[in-house]
Amino acid sequence: MTENAQQQPSAPNTELPTQYAPAEVEETLYERWVDRGYFAADAKSDKPAYTIVIPPPNVTGSLHLGHAFQHTLMDALTRRKRMQGFEALWLPGMDHAGIATQNKVEQQLAEEGKSRHDLGREEFVDRVWQWKEEYGGKILGQMRRLGDGVDWDRERFTMDEGLSKAVQTIFKKLYEDELIYRAERIINWCPRCLTAISDIEVEYQEDDGELVSIKYGEGEETLVVATTRAETMLGDTAVAVHPDDERYQHLVGKRIKLPLTDRTIPVVADTHVDPEFGTGAVKVTPAHDPNDFAIGQRHDLESITVMDERAVITVHGPFEGLDRFEARSTIVAALRSQGRIVAEKRPYVHSVGHCSRCETTIEPRLSMQWWVKVGPLAQAAGDAVRDGRVTIHPADMSKRYFDWVDNMHDWCISRQLWWGHRIPVWYGPEGEVVCVGPDEEPPSGEGWTQDSDVLDTWFSSGLWPFSTLGWPEQTEDLRKFYPTDVLLTGHDIIFFWVARMMMFGLYAMDGEVPFRTIALTGLVRDERGKKMSKSFGNVVDPLDWMDKYGSDAVRFTLARGANPGTDVPIGEEWVQASRNFANKIWNATRFALINGATIEGPLPAPSEMSATDRWILSRLNKTVAEVDAFYDDFQFAKLSDALYHFAWDEVFDWYVELSKTTFQAGGEAAEVSKRVLGEVLDVTLKLLHPVVPFVTETLWTTLTGGESIVIADWPNDSGFRDADAERELEALQSVITEVRRFRHDQGLQPGQRVPARLSLDGTALAPHEAAIRQLLRLQPEGDAFTATATLPVAGAEVALDLSGTIDVAAERKRLAKDLAAAEKEKAQANAKLGNEAFLSKAPDNVVEKIRTRLAKAEEDITRIQAQLGRLPSA
């Protein structure tokens, strides 16, 4: 717990509106925080650094629930560290998002009846910059709405001058170290975006297609191959069989006729072929399939490209000019007419790659591209985790990381776009190739041209942890805030981003890791656990929920579902519940202020406190310790749940309610409890602040008179524990809970008063008689008191006089009817579970349902019999 030494509180304002209205305070509070520089980090500070870089959202993007989820967690981590005395930097920025942004501007041009080619490269890029200034960065304003405590003075953009210099610097360094090279290989090509995309930007889905079996060759020199892409046969340059397949030994080394063409192609033996799959013979199209390309390399086969960049057939007259899918059906029809189709299967469901940006079917294509040789870089990225320099949390996610970095293929980094970091390589008239660094003049003169491609967006975002801090310059920011402490991101971009940053960080920063911990989250799903998708109609705009319930409610709901690495279901009713929690905090603090709760002066000595005061302080300190442990383990769901139950159940439902009796009685005990309640609220609000910053700021500054909870000290566990007080309050809670349950079972209204005799002498409950009577609405027994029901609980006894409050005969009749129904249900369930014939045939889920019904019936019987036993005699 804290002594509030950081700020000298003014006299607290005890006035709070009767209701909390988030819309009236959130924007004002956030702008005040920013204006006062609370989120600005000082590189010259002597405080220990704590750094998180934000996964840069696309400049085209807007805040979705996934962003809101991860930003809430990063903000909570940073706010807590700031309160703990760290120089906390949460660095914001945006990614230029090459394909997505270029598509946006091309769509704009299309509405004007133009294409980028009408403008030319330079004018088109200018147009993209204009779009970025006018429409881009919408998400930054939405981050403010969420309450992101980022250092806006350090906001970066992957195409700004400093980051562009970093990109050019590392490209040249990799090039000179022979880790970047140019080569012709099979790449994933999007005929819609007209660019190469990496393996991790391909999304696979099950599509309905066709599988056709085609007869190649003539007479005895015949083979049957099966394919889902008949149009590529025009580029076949071999048929491959396994070298041990005796069926085709006589054909290996011979040439056979390729249908529909005037070419013959060889039959080659290659161990890649599975003799057990299909006919054991496969067509080989080196220019249009990665496996076929590898076979072609091993057997020195020609690579024939049969489609252009838009996937239109470019060879063989009858099919030239056809789209690939039109060509597929046309070619199959032509083969069928020649009797070459041996079998056809439609629909044939198989996995097909699609562009993650536009969902167009990917076309494998032989192309000259730039590549990163990832072998040594990936080895270093794996070693950093294996030797403990970087920790992955949760630990079981490490396997996914190692599966990727240990088996990574060379990375195709060139994209056939105009928007992005242009590859800094110039080609001369005599075949010269010159890579140019950021401070070097490119070669000039007739015949010199720059490479037209740009770099993959992930190339520049892979530099993010150090380029944003000023690298390649050795800046104060870089010295203070690198390496960063935590990378918090979704497990779905381990491959896209996490591995890239690890490779580049270790390479550029002389073996120093880019972050010490990788905290991986799951993905946000709807309340049924279903993926959110526009096609499913279940996508939620978090801003709508913020408008209705406030940002704190959205944040708390997301944090409360955040178990490490596990997907997070979320529904509107849960946000409503979080809004109710914010209202509960508000109302409890308002009650405390009205009743004089204070943080002024030291806490009274334990000897001056009641057991109730000592109990809540003991529980408070345990909660501080528990929350700290959960934060250190990235257990956001558990820390949120612990805070929810401590605040709602123990502080608001028990301590505040018990304090009412003390406050009414007045005197020294009331003054002590006012100070204790102030302390409890002070600490509880601080513990809640990182997750629900707005409501806690409003309440804490009102309670304490302090400047801002953002710069308040984080609570410490003082070590105070009182096991005796905890046992005593546990007994008190048992009495109140049990009598409340009995009253409810008897149909008594919550406010209905009942005469009662309390036998508390000799128990720890004796000092609590006034509170018990008040909370349970129990009147003094009076002269005409008759004990019609007696409840022994926690070593005490509560006798109630229910005469005149309930119709005992009617209540017995009702309960007897319920008991008979429960006993009948039990008998039926037992009969089925005792029937071997039924058990042998019934599905497991049906049997389990009957077992559940039996357990419920037995529970009901026990409960009803207890209620009957407690009723007064008729």
Side-chain angles (χ1 to χ4, degrees), residues 258-480:
L258 178 65
L260 304 181
T261 72
D262 57 3
R263 293 191 292 117
T264 62
I265 56 176
V267 177
V268 299
D270 196 281
T271 54
H272 170 75
V273 180
D274 180 1
E276 303 298 322
F277 183 77
T279 63
V282 297
K283 59 191 285 300
V284 182
T285 321
H288 292 277
D289 182 276
N291 293 322
D292 292 5
F293 179 77
I295 293 174
Q297 295 278 292
R298 289 192 289 271
H299 297 276
D300 197 24
L301 299 175
E302 183 183 4
S303 294
I304 301 174
T305 299
V306 299
M307 293 179 220
D308 67 11
E309 60 183 9
R310 297 183 185 276
V312 172
I313 301 298
T314 58
V315 297
H316 202 70
F319 312 109
E320 190 172 355
L322 295 178
D323 169 81
R324 56 183 164 164
F325 299 120
E326 294 175 319
R328 181 177 300 171
S329 57
T330 305
I331 287 171
V332 170
L335 290 167
R336 192 185 297 115
S337 68
Q338 292 184 9
R340 293 269 177 189
I341 300 294
V342 176
E344 298 179 65
K345 185 175 181 180
R346 294 187 188 86
Y348 179 72
V349 179
H350 62 133
S351 182
V352 177
H354 294 259
C355 173
S356 62
R357 296 291 180 187
C358 68
E359 300 184 1
T360 300
T361 301
I362 290 302
E363 190 61 47
R365 189 167 189 255
L366 186 62
S367 180
M368 182 67 76
Q369 302 286 343
W370 285 93
W371 304 80
V372 171
K373 187 184 296 183
V374 300
L377 303 175
Q379 175 70 42
D383 290 346
V385 175
R386 287 190 174 92
D387 63 23
R389 283 175 289 157
V390 176
T391 302
I392 293 180
H393 188 91
D396 59 8
M397 284 285 177
S398 299
K399 183 180 184 302
R400 293 187 66 180
Y401 176 80
F402 290 131
D403 283 347
W404 180 251
V405 298
D406 292 348
N407 300 286
M408 196 182 295
H409 301 298
D410 283 2
W411 172 18
C412 176
I413 56 171
S414 44
R415 298 291 180 267
Q416 289 64 55
L417 304 170
W418 288 356
W419 171 246
H421 296 281
R422 194 164 176 181
I423 289 175
V425 171
W426 271 255
Y427 305 109
E430 303 300 324
E432 303 96 327
V433 179
V434 176
C435 181
V436 178
D439 300 318
E440 301 171 348
E441 287 293 324
S444 58
E446 188 176 347
W448 281 94
T449 59
Q450 185 178 358
D451 195 296
S452 61
D453 289 351
V454 301
L455 288 163
D456 178 10
T457 295
W458 297 102
F459 189 94
S460 51
S461 58
L463 315 181
W464 192 252
F466 52 93
S467 64
T468 52
L469 296 173
W471 188 91
E473 308 303 326
Q474 291 303 307
T475 63
E476 284 187 331
D477 276 1
L478 196 63
R479 287 191 290 270
K480 178 73 173 179

Side-chain angles (χ1 to χ4, degrees), residues 613-691:
D613 294 332
R614 297 195 306 276
W615 162 75
I616 196 62
L617 290 175
S618 182
R619 290 294 306 127
L620 178 66
N621 276 285
K622 283 185 177 179
T623 301
V624 170
E626 192 175 31
V627 167
D628 277 335
F630 286 144
Y631 261 117
D632 292 342
D633 200 33
F634 303 98
Q635 297 280 359
F636 295 99
K638 290 182 178 179
L639 74 87
S640 299
D641 214 45
L643 284 169
Y644 177 89
H645 287 294
F646 173 71
W648 192 306
D649 300 345
E650 298 185 272
V651 179
F652 308 149
D653 278 358
W654 284 108
Y655 186 70
V656 166
E657 290 301 313
L658 291 167
S659 297
K660 289 178 180 178
T661 309
T662 308
F663 293 155
Q664 288 171 4
E668 185 60 32
E671 295 306 310
V672 170
S673 289
K674 289 176 184 178
R675 179 64 187 89
V676 171
L677 180 54
E679 181 74 9
V680 170
L681 286 175
D682 173 32
V683 173
T684 302
L685 291 170
K686 288 175 181 175
L687 293 174
L688 284 164
H689 172 72
V691 181

Side-chain angles (χ1 to χ4, degrees), residues 694-709:
F694 294 107
V695 69
T696 51
E697 170 80 338
T698 305
L699 295 175
W700 187 85
T701 52
T702 304
L703 172 72
T704 68
E707 180 185 337
S708 173
I709 197 171

Side-chain angles (χ1 to χ4, degrees), residues 784-799:
F785 179 81
T786 302
T788 57
T790 302
L791 286 79
V793 60
E797 188 176 88
V798 178

Side-chain angles (χ1 to χ4, degrees), residues 161-171 438 463 466-467 471-472:
E161 184 178 351
L163 269 64
S164 295
K165 180 177 182 180
V167 167
Q168 204 170 347
T169 299
I170 201 163
F171 186 98
L463 315 181
F466 52 93
S467 64
W471 188 91

